[in-house]
PDB file of all heavy atoms in Angstrom:
ATOM      1  N   VAL K1303    -136.266 -18.195   8.742  1.00 82.00           N
ATOM      2  CA  VAL K1303    -136.793 -17.245   9.859  1.00 82.00           C
ATOM      3  C   VAL K1303    -136.480 -17.955  11.239  1.00 82.00           C
ATOM      4  O   VAL K1303    -136.054 -17.305  12.101  1.00 82.00           O
ATOM      5  CB  VAL K1303    -138.396 -17.112   9.686  1.00 82.00           C
ATOM      6  CG1 VAL K1303    -138.969 -16.483  10.881  1.00 82.00           C
ATOM      7  CG2 VAL K1303    -138.656 -16.216   8.504  1.00 82.00           C
ATOM      8  N   LEU K1304    -136.656 -19.338  11.239  1.00 78.00           N
ATOM      9  CA  LEU K1304    -136.358 -19.963  12.571  1.00 78.00           C
ATOM     10  C   LEU K1304    -134.825 -19.933  12.837  1.00 78.00           C
ATOM     11  O   LEU K1304    -134.562 -19.758  14.028  1.00 78.00           O
ATOM     12  CB  LEU K1304    -136.775 -21.450  12.341  1.00 78.00           C
ATOM     13  CG  LEU K1304    -138.145 -21.688  12.481  1.00 78.00           C
ATOM     14  CD1 LEU K1304    -138.600 -23.257  12.258  1.00 78.00           C
ATOM     15  CD2 LEU K1304    -138.772 -21.353  13.856  1.00 78.00           C
ATOM     16  N   ARG K1305    -134.044 -19.928  11.860  1.00 77.00           N
ATOM     17  CA  ARG K1305    -132.646 -19.799  12.201  1.00 77.00           C
ATOM     18  C   ARG K1305    -132.232 -18.484  12.658  1.00 77.00           C
ATOM     19  O   ARG K1305    -131.501 -18.325  13.531  1.00 77.00           O
ATOM     20  CB  ARG K1305    -131.834 -20.180  10.821  1.00 77.00           C
ATOM     21  CG  ARG K1305    -130.411 -20.543  11.149  1.00 77.00           C
ATOM     22  CD  ARG K1305    -129.657 -21.050   9.974  1.00 77.00           C
ATOM     23  NE  ARG K1305    -130.563 -21.895   9.003  1.00 77.00           N
ATOM     24  CZ  ARG K1305    -130.789 -21.339   7.744  1.00 77.00           C
ATOM     25  NH1 ARG K1305    -130.284 -20.300   7.334  1.00 77.00           N
ATOM     26  NH2 ARG K1305    -131.569 -22.090   6.992  1.00 77.00           N
ATOM     27  N   ARG K1306    -132.895 -17.365  11.981  1.00 74.00           N
ATOM     28  CA  ARG K1306    -132.431 -16.054  12.419  1.00 74.00           C
ATOM     29  C   ARG K1306    -132.950 -15.813  13.833  1.00 74.00           C
ATOM     30  O   ARG K1306    -132.302 -15.032  14.594  1.00 74.00           O
ATOM     31  CB  ARG K1306    -133.098 -15.184  11.428  1.00 74.00           C
ATOM     32  CG  ARG K1306    -132.528 -13.738  11.698  1.00 74.00           C
ATOM     33  CD  ARG K1306    -132.747 -12.835  10.416  1.00 74.00           C
ATOM     34  NE  ARG K1306    -134.223 -12.856  10.068  1.00 74.00           N
ATOM     35  CZ  ARG K1306    -134.722 -12.919   8.859  1.00 74.00           C
ATOM     36  NH1 ARG K1306    -133.961 -13.086   7.828  1.00 74.00           N
ATOM     37  NH2 ARG K1306    -136.016 -12.947   8.668  1.00 74.00           N
ATOM     38  N   ALA K1307    -134.141 -16.320  14.154  1.00 69.00           N
ATOM     39  CA  ALA K1307    -134.822 -16.115  15.461  1.00 69.00           C
ATOM     40  C   ALA K1307    -133.987 -16.882  16.564  1.00 69.00           C
ATOM     41  O   ALA K1307    -134.199 -16.658  17.739  1.00 69.00           O
ATOM     42  CB  ALA K1307    -136.207 -16.368  15.485  1.00 69.00           C
ATOM     43  N   ARG K1308    -133.209 -17.860  16.153  1.00 64.00           N
ATOM     44  CA  ARG K1308    -132.448 -18.699  17.070  1.00 64.00           C
ATOM     45  C   ARG K1308    -133.492 -19.303  18.062  1.00 64.00           C
ATOM     46  O   ARG K1308    -133.256 -19.235  19.287  1.00 64.00           O
ATOM     47  CB  ARG K1308    -131.354 -17.878  17.836  1.00 64.00           C
ATOM     48  CG  ARG K1308    -130.353 -17.422  16.797  1.00 64.00           C
ATOM     49  CD  ARG K1308    -129.153 -16.926  17.401  1.00 64.00           C
ATOM     50  NE  ARG K1308    -128.148 -16.623  16.479  1.00 64.00           N
ATOM     51  CZ  ARG K1308    -128.098 -15.275  16.001  1.00 64.00           C
ATOM     52  NH1 ARG K1308    -128.874 -14.449  16.426  1.00 64.00           N
ATOM     53  NH2 ARG K1308    -127.237 -15.003  15.033  1.00 64.00           N
ATOM     54  N   GLY K1309    -134.477 -20.027  17.471  1.00 60.00           N
ATOM     55  CA  GLY K1309    -135.282 -20.717  18.410  1.00 60.00           C
ATOM     56  C   GLY K1309    -136.351 -19.792  19.037  1.00 60.00           C
ATOM     57  O   GLY K1309    -136.020 -19.022  19.947  1.00 60.00           O
ATOM     58  N   MET K1310    -137.518 -19.764  18.456  1.00 65.00           N
ATOM     59  CA  MET K1310    -138.568 -18.759  18.955  1.00 65.00           C
ATOM     60  C   MET K1310    -139.574 -19.525  19.876  1.00 65.00           C
ATOM     61  O   MET K1310    -140.159 -20.547  19.625  1.00 65.00           O
ATOM     62  CB  MET K1310    -139.301 -18.100  17.720  1.00 65.00           C
ATOM     63  CG  MET K1310    -140.449 -17.307  18.145  1.00 65.00           C
ATOM     64  SD  MET K1310    -140.459 -15.734  17.550  1.00 65.00           S
ATOM     65  CE  MET K1310    -139.203 -15.521  16.387  1.00 65.00           C
ATOM     66  N   ARG K1311    -139.839 -18.852  20.987  1.00 69.00           N
ATOM     67  CA  ARG K1311    -140.688 -19.654  22.042  1.00 69.00           C
ATOM     68  C   ARG K1311    -142.153 -19.070  21.867  1.00 69.00           C
ATOM     69  O   ARG K1311    -143.114 -19.728  22.059  1.00 69.00           O
ATOM     70  CB  ARG K1311    -140.212 -19.478  23.458  1.00 69.00           C
ATOM     71  CG  ARG K1311    -139.308 -20.453  23.794  1.00 69.00           C
ATOM     72  CD  ARG K1311    -138.744 -20.322  25.252  1.00 69.00           C
ATOM     73  NE  ARG K1311    -137.272 -20.466  25.162  1.00 69.00           N
ATOM     74  CZ  ARG K1311    -136.436 -19.537  25.329  1.00 69.00           C
ATOM     75  NH1 ARG K1311    -136.822 -18.264  25.290  1.00 69.00           N
ATOM     76  NH2 ARG K1311    -135.155 -19.854  25.226  1.00 69.00           N
ATOM     77  N   ASP K1312    -142.261 -17.873  21.379  1.00 76.00           N
ATOM     78  CA  ASP K1312    -143.618 -17.152  21.298  1.00 76.00           C
ATOM     79  C   ASP K1312    -144.196 -17.576  19.906  1.00 76.00           C
ATOM     80  O   ASP K1312    -143.828 -17.080  18.845  1.00 76.00           O
ATOM     81  CB  ASP K1312    -143.340 -15.655  21.235  1.00 76.00           C
ATOM     82  CG  ASP K1312    -144.644 -14.927  21.275  1.00 76.00           C
ATOM     83  OD1 ASP K1312    -145.766 -15.669  20.921  1.00 76.00           O
ATOM     84  OD2 ASP K1312    -144.676 -13.752  21.470  1.00 76.00           O
ATOM     85  N   GLU K1313    -145.301 -18.431  19.985  1.00 78.00           N
ATOM     86  CA  GLU K1313    -145.702 -19.051  18.687  1.00 78.00           C
ATOM     87  C   GLU K1313    -146.460 -18.061  17.973  1.00 78.00           C
ATOM     88  O   GLU K1313    -146.299 -18.096  16.620  1.00 78.00           O
ATOM     89  CB  GLU K1313    -146.606 -20.160  19.114  1.00 78.00           C
ATOM     90  CG  GLU K1313    -146.850 -21.173  18.057  1.00 78.00           C
ATOM     91  CD  GLU K1313    -147.728 -22.389  18.409  1.00 78.00           C
ATOM     92  OE1 GLU K1313    -147.506 -22.887  19.548  1.00 78.00           O
ATOM     93  OE2 GLU K1313    -148.607 -22.688  17.718  1.00 78.00           O
ATOM     94  N   THR K1314    -147.167 -17.186  18.551  1.00 83.00           N
ATOM     95  CA  THR K1314    -148.037 -16.163  17.788  1.00 83.00           C
ATOM     96  C   THR K1314    -147.043 -15.264  17.053  1.00 83.00           C
ATOM     97  O   THR K1314    -147.361 -14.859  15.918  1.00 83.00           O
ATOM     98  CB  THR K1314    -148.933 -15.343  18.790  1.00 83.00           C
ATOM     99  OG1 THR K1314    -149.191 -16.119  19.957  1.00 83.00           O
ATOM    100  CG2 THR K1314    -150.024 -14.723  18.083  1.00 83.00           C
ATOM    101  N   MET K1315    -146.101 -14.921  17.710  1.00 85.00           N
ATOM    102  CA  MET K1315    -145.035 -14.031  17.064  1.00 85.00           C
ATOM    103  C   MET K1315    -144.431 -14.719  15.862  1.00 85.00           C
ATOM    104  O   MET K1315    -144.223 -14.075  14.823  1.00 85.00           O
ATOM    105  CB  MET K1315    -143.936 -13.725  18.098  1.00 85.00           C
ATOM    106  CG  MET K1315    -143.007 -12.723  17.656  1.00 85.00           C
ATOM    107  SD  MET K1315    -143.771 -11.033  17.687  1.00 85.00           S
ATOM    108  CE  MET K1315    -142.441 -10.075  17.199  1.00 85.00           C
ATOM    109  N   LEU K1316    -144.125 -16.078  16.040  1.00 85.00           N
ATOM    110  CA  LEU K1316    -143.439 -16.738  14.981  1.00 85.00           C
ATOM    111  C   LEU K1316    -144.430 -16.715  13.839  1.00 85.00           C
ATOM    112  O   LEU K1316    -144.029 -16.584  12.615  1.00 85.00           O
ATOM    113  CB  LEU K1316    -143.233 -18.246  15.414  1.00 85.00           C
ATOM    114  CG  LEU K1316    -142.494 -19.104  14.334  1.00 85.00           C
ATOM    115  CD1 LEU K1316    -141.262 -18.435  13.992  1.00 85.00           C
ATOM    116  CD2 LEU K1316    -142.401 -20.574  14.914  1.00 85.00           C
ATOM    117  N   VAL K1317    -145.727 -16.954  13.974  1.00 86.00           N
ATOM    118  CA  VAL K1317    -146.637 -17.078  12.803  1.00 86.00           C
ATOM    119  C   VAL K1317    -146.684 -15.727  12.141  1.00 86.00           C
ATOM    120  O   VAL K1317    -146.631 -15.548  10.911  1.00 86.00           O
ATOM    121  CB  VAL K1317    -148.096 -17.462  13.264  1.00 86.00           C
ATOM    122  CG1 VAL K1317    -149.101 -17.389  12.149  1.00 86.00           C
ATOM    123  CG2 VAL K1317    -148.131 -18.751  14.008  1.00 86.00           C
ATOM    124  N   LEU K1318    -146.749 -14.664  12.890  1.00 89.00           N
ATOM    125  CA  LEU K1318    -146.793 -13.247  12.229  1.00 89.00           C
ATOM    126  C   LEU K1318    -145.507 -13.101  11.482  1.00 89.00           C
ATOM    127  O   LEU K1318    -145.599 -12.546  10.387  1.00 89.00           O
ATOM    128  CB  LEU K1318    -146.883 -12.257  13.331  1.00 89.00           C
ATOM    129  CG  LEU K1318    -148.158 -12.146  14.209  1.00 89.00           C
ATOM    130  CD1 LEU K1318    -148.144 -11.147  15.268  1.00 89.00           C
ATOM    131  CD2 LEU K1318    -149.237 -11.584  13.183  1.00 89.00           C
ATOM    132  N   LYS K1319    -144.395 -13.511  11.993  1.00 88.00           N
ATOM    133  CA  LYS K1319    -143.132 -13.382  11.261  1.00 88.00           C
ATOM    134  C   LYS K1319    -143.075 -14.136  10.031  1.00 88.00           C
ATOM    135  O   LYS K1319    -142.658 -13.663   8.922  1.00 88.00           O
ATOM    136  CB  LYS K1319    -141.946 -13.739  12.137  1.00 88.00           C
ATOM    137  CG  LYS K1319    -141.430 -12.527  13.136  1.00 88.00           C
ATOM    138  CD  LYS K1319    -140.302 -13.153  13.933  1.00 88.00           C
ATOM    139  CE  LYS K1319    -138.963 -12.756  13.292  1.00 88.00           C
ATOM    140  NZ  LYS K1319    -138.598 -11.316  13.604  1.00 88.00           N
ATOM    141  N   LEU K1320    -143.703 -15.271  10.090  1.00 87.00           N
ATOM    142  CA  LEU K1320    -143.664 -16.127   8.911  1.00 87.00           C
ATOM    143  C   LEU K1320    -144.601 -15.539   7.801  1.00 87.00           C
ATOM    144  O   LEU K1320    -144.384 -15.583   6.680  1.00 87.00           O
ATOM    145  CB  LEU K1320    -144.225 -17.591   9.273  1.00 87.00           C
ATOM    146  CG  LEU K1320    -143.243 -18.439  10.003  1.00 87.00           C
ATOM    147  CD1 LEU K1320    -143.746 -19.705  10.408  1.00 87.00           C
ATOM    148  CD2 LEU K1320    -141.877 -18.607   9.329  1.00 87.00           C
ATOM    149  N   LYS K1321    -145.791 -14.968   8.248  1.00 88.00           N
ATOM    150  CA  LYS K1321    -146.706 -14.374   7.318  1.00 88.00           C
ATOM    151  C   LYS K1321    -145.944 -13.280   6.575  1.00 88.00           C
ATOM    152  O   LYS K1321    -146.107 -13.123   5.343  1.00 88.00           O
ATOM    153  CB  LYS K1321    -147.876 -13.941   8.087  1.00 88.00           C
ATOM    154  CG  LYS K1321    -148.840 -15.014   8.431  1.00 88.00           C
ATOM    155  CD  LYS K1321    -150.017 -14.326   9.013  1.00 88.00           C
ATOM    156  CE  LYS K1321    -151.166 -15.312   9.424  1.00 88.00           C
ATOM    157  NZ  LYS K1321    -152.275 -14.749  10.145  1.00 88.00           N
ATOM    158  N   TRP K1322    -145.293 -12.473   7.480  1.00 87.00           N
ATOM    159  CA  TRP K1322    -144.569 -11.319   6.740  1.00 87.00           C
ATOM    160  C   TRP K1322    -143.530 -11.859   5.782  1.00 87.00           C
ATOM    161  O   TRP K1322    -143.462 -11.415   4.540  1.00 87.00           O
ATOM    162  CB  TRP K1322    -143.827 -10.548   7.943  1.00 87.00           C
ATOM    163  CG  TRP K1322    -142.774  -9.635   7.255  1.00 87.00           C
ATOM    164  CD1 TRP K1322    -141.533  -9.887   6.842  1.00 87.00           C
ATOM    165  CD2 TRP K1322    -143.112  -8.286   6.854  1.00 87.00           C
ATOM    166  NE1 TRP K1322    -140.952  -8.724   6.365  1.00 87.00           N
ATOM    167  CE2 TRP K1322    -141.798  -7.818   6.273  1.00 87.00           C
ATOM    168  CE3 TRP K1322    -144.199  -7.442   6.900  1.00 87.00           C
ATOM    169  CZ2 TRP K1322    -141.800  -6.325   5.850  1.00 87.00           C
ATOM    170  CZ3 TRP K1322    -144.091  -6.046   6.463  1.00 87.00           C
ATOM    171  CH2 TRP K1322    -142.896  -5.614   5.949  1.00 87.00           C
TER     172      TRP K1322
END
Side-chain angles (χ1 to χ4, degrees):
V1303 169
L1304 283 173
R1305 198 174 325 115
R1306 193 166 52 224
R1308 298 200 176 84
M1310 170 118 21
R1311 274 180 223 103
D1312 184 349
E1313 200 178 315
T1314 329
M1315 190 70 176
L1316 178 60
V1317 178
L1318 287 171
K1319 274 179 99 77
L1320 290 177
K1321 281 183 178 177
W1322 167 276

